[in-house]
């Protein structure tokens, strides 16, 4: 059995002395965001299932603990995540675990599909916005569940015969909901007949979960970009499924090398695995991505350039790379503007970047970066995964030795980012710090 400890009070800090060019070859971990959705899908399997290439991160351990406490036997060993179906289910996701991750509602949907009822807390994971789950709950209700929300918890239960359903994953604010699309797929996977998901997300998290379900025997039919039909089954096969490499870590490693004027070979990560929107923005920013030996060679031959861009749903520029890009753009001569269209309040990294000497501000959803800034060492903290990563990137280019707290957040999303950066030439140490 895999257990977790209380890591929310992680007091460690990383000290980084900037100025070193990062050069060399590194690997990319399995995708955090895709894996979290595959872990939820594993609850539906009626046979043992092994996910290979799983990221060795805190969120993996938290999910393994959730699966154990709700009945599914789970082990996280190195880069393998294995599950065996439960003898019986206790479909209550503990508050202390469910509020640590973003995919709590998706896991709740899997337990509801498996056992007919579930109780789970509203999700957590990040500090930059509230995680809305209204489309998740709408999918549960469309599937025939009675849903009640009170005191920060959701209770859902099927009270009658389960029938095929239709649900819409579109949100008013930011387009199709990735998580709600997966929630609906998991519910439909164990519902007799063919259910329809209108306006589904086409993010890789969705398409890889769909591929896992298809391998397990669920009927998956994409009807263009407007609908997804899911034909359920009463038995889902297990087997082996590979977690793809993390496009977000790959982009982070690229930006870390680029801000130092260095270059990195992302071994085993093909350039085609980057979203088109990211490739386009990187090119505008002066970052060159070239295929090399099945991977990608990253370089900045003419230095950073300012950009005018917007985040967006796949295949647009990922919101989860925006903070890191913002840090990089502090070194571009001129004014950059980033329109954050997914999470319009995603700007918690700006005050800490300003502490380094960056000239950054936000007006509504638009972040403005004026460069080139001569960054100086700072003592700062990151409040979520990507914000903490942006501060690490800034420290690599700053004069002097910076101290960055918030290692708990880094460990949630990256298994070995700091050792990888050190191997590429970063000057850093990790210390235990009192708050």
């Amino acid at each position: 059995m895999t257990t977790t400890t209380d890591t929310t009070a992680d007091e460690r800090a990383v000290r980084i002395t900037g100025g070193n060019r990062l050069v060399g070859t590194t690997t990319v971990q399995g995708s955090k965001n895709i894996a979290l959705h595959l872990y939820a899908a594993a609850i539906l399997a009626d046979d043992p299932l092994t996910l290979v290439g799983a990221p060795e991160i805190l969120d993996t351990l938290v999910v393994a603990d959730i699966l154990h406490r709700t009945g599914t036997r789970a082990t996280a060993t190195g880069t393998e995540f294995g599950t065996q179906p439960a003898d019986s289910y206790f479909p209550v996701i503990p508050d202390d675990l469910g509020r640590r991750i973003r995919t709590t509602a998706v896991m709740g949907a899997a337990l509801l599909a498996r056992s007919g009822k579930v109780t789970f807390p509203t999700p957590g994971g990040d500090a930059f916005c509230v995680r809305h789950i209204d489309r998740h709950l709408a999918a549960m209700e469309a599937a025939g569940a009675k849903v009640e929300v009170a005191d920060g918890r959701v209770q859902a239960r099927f009270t009658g015969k389960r029938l095929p359903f239709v649900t819409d994953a579109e949100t008013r604010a930011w387009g199709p909901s990735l998580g709600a699309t997966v929630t609906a797929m998991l519910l439909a996977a164990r519902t007799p007949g063919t259910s329809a998901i209108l306006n589904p997300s086409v993010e890789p998290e969705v398409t890889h979960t769909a591929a896992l379900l298809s391998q397990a025997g669920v009927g998956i039919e994409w009807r263009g970009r407007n609908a997804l039909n899911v034909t359920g089954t009463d038995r889902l096969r297990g087997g082996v499924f590979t977690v793809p490499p993390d496009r977000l870590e790959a982009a982070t490693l690229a930006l870390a090398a680029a801000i130092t004027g260095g270059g990195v070979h992302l071994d085993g990560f093909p350039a085609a695995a980057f979203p088109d929107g990211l490739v386009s923005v990187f090119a505008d920013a002066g970052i060159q991505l070239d295929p090399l030996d099945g991977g990608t060679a990253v370089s900045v031959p003419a230095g950073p350039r300012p950009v005018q861009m917007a985040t967006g749903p796949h295949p647009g520029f990922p919101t989860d790379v925006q903070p890191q890009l913002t840090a990089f753009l502090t070194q571009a001569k001129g004014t950059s503007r980033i329109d954050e269209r997914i999470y319009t309040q995603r700007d918690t990294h700006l005050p800490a970047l300003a502490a380094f000497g960056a000239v950054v501000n936000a007006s509504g959803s638009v972040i403005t970066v004026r460069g080139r800034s001569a960054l100086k060492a700072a003592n700062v903290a990151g409040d979520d995964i990507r914000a903490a990563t942006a501060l690490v990137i800034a420290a690599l280019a700053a004069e002097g030795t910076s101290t960055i707290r918030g290692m708990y957040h880094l460990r949630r999303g990256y298994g070995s980012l700091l050792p990888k950066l050190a191997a590429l030439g970063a000057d850093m140490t990790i210390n235990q710090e009192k708050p």
Side-chain angles (χ1 to χ4, degrees):
M1 175 177 176
T2 300
T3 59
T4 62
T5 57
D6 182 6
T7 51
T8 56
D10 191 343
E11 297 175 354
R12 289 186 299 177
V14 60
R15 288 190 172 88
I16 299 175
T17 301
N20 288 7
R21 291 178 70 246
L22 302 194
V23 179
T25 296
T26 191
T27 57
V28 178
Q29 70 176 22
S31 171
K32 165 195 176 286
N33 287 350
I34 292 174
L36 288 176
H37 292 86
L38 297 179
Y39 299 156
I43 295 172
L44 304 184
D46 292 288
D47 301 310
L49 174 67
T50 299
L51 299 173
V52 298
E56 298 180 77
I57 57 176
L58 287 183
D59 277 13
T60 291
L61 299 180
V62 171
V63 171
D65 206 348
I66 290 173
L67 264 60
H68 268 295
R69 295 201 200 183
T70 54
T72 301
R73 288 162 286 178
T75 56
T77 306
T79 58
E80 286 196 358
F81 188 92
T83 63
Q84 296 186 42
D87 297 321
S88 59
Y89 291 92
F90 182 68
V92 178
I93 297 178
D95 289 2
D96 63 323
L97 298 177
R99 292 199 169 109
R100 291 192 200 176
I101 58 173
R102 292 171 48 181
T103 53
T104 306
V106 178
M107 298 193 69
L111 286 165
L112 175 62
R114 204 65 164 93
S115 66
K117 60 182 180 179
V118 69
T119 299
F120 62 91
T122 51
D126 292 315
F128 58 84
C129 73
V130 175
R131 293 286 171 182
H132 297 286
I133 60 171
D134 55 309
R135 299 317 305 163
H136 295 261
L137 304 186
M140 294 176 188
E141 290 177 333
K146 180 181 179 182
V147 178
E148 297 178 347
V149 183
D151 300 324
R153 295 183 185 85
V154 176
Q155 289 186 317
R157 176 188 297 268
F158 288 120
T159 57
K161 184 178 180 180
R162 296 183 59 179
L163 299 171
F165 61 92
V166 178
T167 189
D168 195 329
E170 185 75 22
T171 69
R172 293 180 181 178
W174 53 75
S177 168
L178 182 168
T181 302
V182 177
T183 280
M185 282 199 299
L186 300 185
L187 292 167
R190 295 197 76 96
T191 298
T194 300
S195 300
I197 305 169
L198 306 181
N199 301 305
S201 166
V202 295
E203 296 280 346
E205 288 76 6
V206 173
T207 58
H208 282 88
T209 303
L212 173 61
L213 294 176
S214 178
Q215 177 180 298
V218 177
I220 301 290
E221 179 190 4
W222 291 92
R223 301 181 63 185
R225 294 177 66 95
N226 297 323
L228 170 62
N229 287 349
V230 181
T231 302
T233 177
D234 59 0
R235 180 172 182 81
L236 273 70
R237 297 187 295 269
V240 178
F241 191 85
T242 300
V243 180
D246 195 320
R247 64 196 188 280
L248 306 177
E249 186 190 49
T252 297
L253 289 164
L255 288 164
I259 200 172
T260 69
V264 63
H265 175 216
L266 303 173
D267 189 26
F269 188 92
F274 283 117
D276 291 345
L278 183 145
V279 173
S280 176
V281 170
F282 272 23
D284 290 345
I287 302 173
Q288 193 167 311
L289 304 173
D290 295 311
L292 176 65
D293 298 334
T296 302
V298 182
S299 60
V300 195
R305 295 194 296 258
V307 299
Q308 313 291 312
M309 53 81 67
T311 63
H314 186 80
F317 191 93
T319 179
D320 280 352
V321 184
Q322 180 262 107
Q324 301 94 302
L325 177 69
T326 302
F328 170 78
L329 291 173
T330 65
Q331 300 307 290
K333 295 180 181 179
T335 299
S336 296
R337 288 185 175 85
I338 302 171
D339 188 358
E340 176 51 76
R341 296 179 180 174
I342 303 298
Y343 297 118
T344 57
Q345 296 178 318
R346 190 169 207 163
D347 59 7
T348 58
H349 50 297
L350 299 189
L353 288 177
F356 281 100
V359 182
V360 291
N361 63 75
S363 177
S365 66
V366 177
I367 293 171
T368 300
V369 185
R370 293 181 174 85
R372 177 180 183 262
S373 296
L375 302 183
K376 303 291 186 180
N379 186 332
V380 292
D383 293 329
D384 63 76
I385 296 172
R386 312 306 171 182
T389 312
L391 305 185
V392 168
I393 290 175
L396 293 171
E399 180 184 347
T401 300
S402 301
T403 299
I404 302 169
R405 288 163 285 112
M407 292 302 97
Y408 163 69
H409 296 292
L410 272 183
R411 294 169 62 213
R412 280 189 54 228
Y414 300 100
S416 56
L417 178 65
L418 297 181
K420 289 175 184 177
L421 295 176
L424 292 172
D427 183 351
M428 62 174 61
T429 57
I430 297 176
N431 299 90
Q432 195 75 15
E433 287 243 324
K434 294 298 181 182

